[in-house]
Amino acid sequence: MSKTDTTSAANRAADAEAAAEAEAGAQLSTAPQEETSSGGPSLGPVGWVRWFWRQLTSMRVALILLFLLSLGAIPGSLIPQNGVDELKVQDFKAANPGLTPVYEKLQLFDVYSSVWFSAIYILLFVSLIGCIVPRTWQFVGQLRGRPPGAPKRLTRLPAYTSWRTEASPEQVDEAALRLLKGRRYRAHAVKGSVAGEKGYLREAGNLLFHIALIVMLVAFATGQLFKSEGGKLVVEGDGFSNTLPLYDDFRSGSLFDTDELAPFSFTLDQFTGTYEPSGPQRGTPRTFEADVSYSVPGGPDKKGKIKVNEPLVVEGTKVYLISHGYAPVVTVRDARGKAVFKGAVPLLPVDNNITSTGVIKVMDGYRNAKGEKEQLGLPAFFVPTYAGKGNGQMFSQFPALAFPALNLGAYHGDLRVDGGLPQNVYQLDRSKLDPFKDKNGDVFKQTLLPGETMKLPGGAGSVTFEKEIKEWASFQISQQPGNGLALAGAIAAIAGLAGSLFIQRRRVWVRATTGEDGVTVVEMAGLGRSESAQLPEELAGLAARLHAEAPTAPEPEPASAEDAASAADPADPADEGAEK
C-alpha cells in the first residue's frame, strides 16, 4: 500500500470518528440551526419569502423585537396617554406647544394603539409562533426517539472513567441498563453499549417560557381590546350604579360593548381616614378604608370594606379606592331668605394635608335683591386644620378635621352652563360673571368656621357653612379580562425559565468489552449540552454504583525470574535430541 493510500484511509477514519462524535452530541437542543450558506437567498419571489420567514422566526429577531417592544413602552409610561387621562394630555399640550405636533405625528399620546407599536407587537407574536412550532415538533421527535450509540473513542468526551472487572460484558451491560433506568435516564442497549439520556425538562422549560410569552401577549391584547375602566367620586351617603351615564370619566377597549357592564350598585356608608398625630411622620396616612353597601339585581344587600390595594370584587368587576377628600355642607339663601341650595360640595385636595379647592355653583332658583334671576359662583378654599387668622397663609396644617375653615368668594351673573358645552365642575368660568365687592372695592371674600354665615353685599343673600362636614372617596371601577391569563403566563414563564437555566441536558454511555487477556474493560463517559462541574460528579456517582456490581478485577501476580528467563530463552528440542 502506498503512502498516499495510507493517508487517505487515515483521513476517512478521522472523518468517520468525527461524524460519530457529532451524532453523539446532536439534538441536545431544539434551537434552530443557523444556515452557513454563502450564496444568500434566491432571487425569485418564493426565495425572498422563505428568506424573510427564516429571519423573522429566528430567535435573534425575536429578542430584537422584544427589546423594541420594551423601548416602545417607555414613552407610554412617561408621556400622558389619551386612553388613561385626557386632562393630563391637555395640560401637557398646553405646557409644551413646540413638542405637541411632533408627539402627535409619532402617536406618542396613544402609544399602545399606535401603528408602530402594533406592528412590533404583531411581528413579535408571529416570530414567536414561527419559532416555537418547529421546535415543538422537533422536541416531540426527540422524546419519541432514543439516545444515539456511543462514539468510538469515549476518552475524548469531557467526563470519562474506566476500570477492569471479572464480570462479563453482558453482566455489565445489564447492570448499567438497570442503573440508568433506576436513575430516571431514558436508556437502551445499542451497538454493544448502553446509552442513556436525561434532562429533557430543559428543552420543555425553554418551550414553556416562549409559549408563556405568547400567552402574555394574548393577555395584553385581550386586556386592551376588551377592558373597561372608569372613575366615580362618591360622597358619604350617596351611591353609584354601574351604568355608563353615572361615570365621571370612562375609558374602554375598541371591542368592549357597554352592554357588558356588570349590573351592580353600591353606597358609600362611611369613609375612615387616620393619620400619624406626631413625630417625624406627622400627617402620614395610617388607615384609608371605605365601608360600602352593595348589591346585584335580585340579590340582598351586602356589606363590604374597600382599602387601598384591596378592591371590592362584584360580578368580575373590581372597585378600587383611589383617593379621598372633604365635602363641606353649605346652605345658600337668596335675597328673600329662601334656601336655593343645600348640600355637600366635594373639593379637590392640592397637597398632602388636604388643603382643598373647588366651586359652589348655584344654577337654579336664585333671585337677587331686585328679584331678578341670576346664577351664583362661589370659589371655595377649604382647610381641615386651620392655623388661625394672622398665622401665615391659609393652608392646612394637618389632614384630619382638627380645626376646619372655609374661605369663600362670591360672583353673580351667568355661569355659562346652559350653552351645552362641557364644563369642569371644579373651575369657574368668570367671563360672564360679576364679582360682589367689599368696602375696598375688591372681590368679596370671607373665611368661615363651621356654623358661621357669610352675608352677601347689598342684601343679595347669605351662605352658611354648616357644622356637618362629609368625606368623599374616589373609586376606579374596572374590568380587565386578561389579568388572570397574564398571571398564568407570568408564572409559566418563571417556571420555564427556571427549568431552562437550572436543568442540564446530558447523555451517558457505558461500554464493556473483553480485553486481550480475557478481562472485561468497562468504559463510562458523559456529554452535556454545556460544560458543567455537575456532569463529572454525576458520572462519578454512577460509576461508583456500577462498580459495586462489577468491581475492579485483581491485578495479575508478576512472573518469577526463572519463568521470565524461560519465556525469554526457551530450550530448543533439537539441541536436547543431539545431547541424547
Side-chain angles (χ1 to χ4, degrees):
M1 182 180 293
S2 65
K3 182 177 181 181
T4 304
D5 294 337
T6 303
T7 304
S8 299
N11 291 337
R12 287 195 296 269
D15 293 340
E17 183 178 341
E21 293 178 1
E23 180 183 359
Q27 295 183 347
L28 279 176
S29 171
T30 58
Q33 299 294 326
E34 294 289 340
E35 296 188 4
T36 57
S37 174
S38 59
S42 62
L43 297 179
V46 177
W48 279 108
V49 171
R50 289 178 178 174
W51 177 83
F52 178 78
W53 177 254
R54 286 194 298 266
Q55 299 302 315
L56 179 61
T57 56
S58 67
M59 189 56 61
R60 178 178 62 255
V61 173
L63 292 175
I64 292 174
L65 290 173
L66 187 61
F67 178 70
L68 291 177
L69 194 70
S70 302
L71 288 180
I74 294 177
S77 302
L78 300 178
I79 301 174
Q81 300 294 296
N82 284 320
V84 177
D85 195 330
E86 294 185 2
L87 292 178
K88 286 187 178 180
V89 173
Q90 296 300 325
D91 293 341
F92 183 90
K93 290 181 177 180
N96 301 275
L99 290 176
T100 297
V102 178
Y103 282 12
E104 288 179 342
K105 289 182 179 180
L106 296 177
Q107 298 179 303
L108 295 183
F109 296 116
D110 301 277
V111 167
Y112 301 111
S113 59
S114 63
V115 174
W116 56 269
F117 190 87
S118 301
I120 298 174
Y121 187 90
I122 294 173
L123 286 175
L124 177 61
F125 191 83
V126 174
S127 177
L128 288 174
I129 293 178
C131 181
I132 289 173
V133 171
R135 294 184 68 170
T136 301
W137 285 115
Q138 184 179 355
F139 182 61
V140 171
Q142 292 180 16
L143 292 177
R144 296 177 62 184
R146 290 186 174 186
K152 184 176 181 180
R153 294 186 181 181
L154 292 177
T155 55
R156 301 182 65 174
L157 298 184
Y160 174 81
T161 186
S162 176
W163 72 93
R164 293 156 51 90
T165 182
E166 292 181 343
S168 65
E170 292 77 13
Q171 292 175 332
V172 173
D173 289 345
E174 183 180 352
L177 189 62
R178 185 170 59 253
L179 171 63
L180 292 179
K181 288 184 176 180
R183 298 295 294 271
R184 298 189 302 277
Y185 278 82
R186 295 179 63 230
H188 71 116
V190 54
K191 297 180 182 180
S193 62
V194 176
E197 188 169 2
K198 194 176 183 181
Y200 286 91
L201 286 179
R202 179 186 181 93
E203 295 304 320
N206 194 10
L207 292 174
L208 179 62
F209 173 75
H210 291 89
I211 292 173
L213 289 181
I214 294 180
V215 171
M216 288 190 288
L217 289 176
V218 172
F220 178 78
T222 302
Q224 290 297 315
L225 294 175
F226 296 95
K227 73 174 182 178
S228 69
E229 185 177 274
K232 180 62 179 179
L233 187 149
V234 183
V235 180
E236 287 178 329
D238 293 344
F240 169 77
S241 181
N242 193 28
T243 56
L244 187 59
L246 295 184
Y247 279 93
D248 293 334
D249 60 89
F250 185 82
R251 301 172 297 276
S252 64
S254 57
L255 298 182
F256 179 80
D257 186 357
T258 55
D259 294 335
E260 297 178 0
L261 286 172
F264 70 92
S265 60
F266 68 88
T267 300
L268 177 60
D269 298 327
Q270 183 181 6
F271 180 86
T272 303
T274 60
Y275 310 89
E276 187 68 31
S278 60
Q281 295 185 342
R282 182 176 184 270
T284 303
R286 287 291 176 257
T287 303
F288 275 175
E289 56 186 35
D291 295 313
V292 298
S293 302
Y294 67 96
S295 63
V296 297
D301 290 345
K302 299 180 181 179
K303 297 291 185 180
K305 190 182 293 292
I306 307 176
K307 300 180 181 179
V308 178
N309 296 326
E310 295 183 19
L312 174 69
V313 182
V314 186
E315 298 292 315
T317 301
K318 294 184 178 181
V319 182
Y320 293 90
L321 177 62
I322 301 301
S323 59
H324 95 288
Y326 295 105
V329 178
V330 175
T331 301
V332 181
R333 292 178 173 83
D334 64 6
R336 300 168 297 173
K338 178 183 176 181
V340 294
F341 176 88
K342 183 175 182 180
V345 182
L347 303 177
L348 297 182
V350 297
D351 59 23
N352 293 332
N353 287 326
I354 318 185
T355 302
S356 306
T357 64
V359 178
I360 302 171
K361 297 181 180 181
V362 181
M363 295 177 284
D364 298 309
Y366 173 78
R367 292 180 180 272
N368 58 23
K370 299 180 181 179
E372 299 172 344
K373 290 184 178 181
E374 280 190 317
Q375 294 175 331
L376 292 181
L378 308 173
F381 196 85
F382 175 79
V383 290
T385 301
Y386 184 34
K389 189 174 182 180
N391 294 322
Q393 296 180 342
M394 187 176 177
F395 282 93
S396 179
Q397 308 299 308
F398 192 72
L401 292 172
F403 186 21
L406 178 65
N407 181 272
L408 294 174
Y411 293 81
H412 63 97
D414 183 7
L415 294 174
R416 303 192 66 183
V417 296
D418 300 326
L421 296 176
Q423 191 178 103
N424 192 327
V425 296
Y426 302 102
Q427 295 179 354
L428 185 64
D429 185 352
R430 296 181 174 86
S431 60
K432 292 189 176 182
L433 292 175
D434 296 319
F436 287 98
K437 299 293 185 68
D438 59 14
K439 297 179 180 179
N440 299 323
D442 298 325
V443 177
F444 180 78
K445 294 181 180 180
Q446 187 173 341
T447 299
L448 304 176
L449 300 181
E452 295 183 346
T453 299
M454 178 180 73
K455 299 291 185 179
L456 295 177
S462 64
V463 182
T464 302
F465 177 22
E466 304 292 346
K467 294 183 178 180
E468 181 183 12
I469 301 175
K470 295 185 177 183
E471 297 192 49
W472 59 260
S474 179
F475 299 95
Q476 177 180 293
I477 301 95
S478 64
Q479 289 180 258
Q480 295 284 352
N483 283 351
L485 193 62
L487 177 62
I491 295 175
I494 294 174
L497 186 62
S500 63
L501 291 178
F502 299 109
I503 298 177
Q504 185 185 25
R505 184 90 174 269
R506 64 269 195 201
R507 288 171 178 166
V508 172
W509 291 275
V510 180
R511 177 187 289 152
T513 56
T514 303
E516 295 179 356
D517 56 356
V519 179
T520 302
V521 178
V522 182
E523 291 182 290
M524 291 187 69
L527 177 65
R529 180 179 174 183
S530 58
E531 295 185 4
S532 172
Q534 296 180 355
L535 181 61
E537 295 176 0
E538 186 172 4
L539 184 68
L542 292 173
R545 289 179 176 271
L546 184 59
H547 184 270
E549 299 191 31
T552 303
E555 293 292 335
E557 295 182 359
S560 62
E562 295 180 357
D563 294 339
S566 299
D569 189 17
D572 189 352
D575 295 339
E576 293 180 0
E579 292 178 359
K580 290 179 179 181

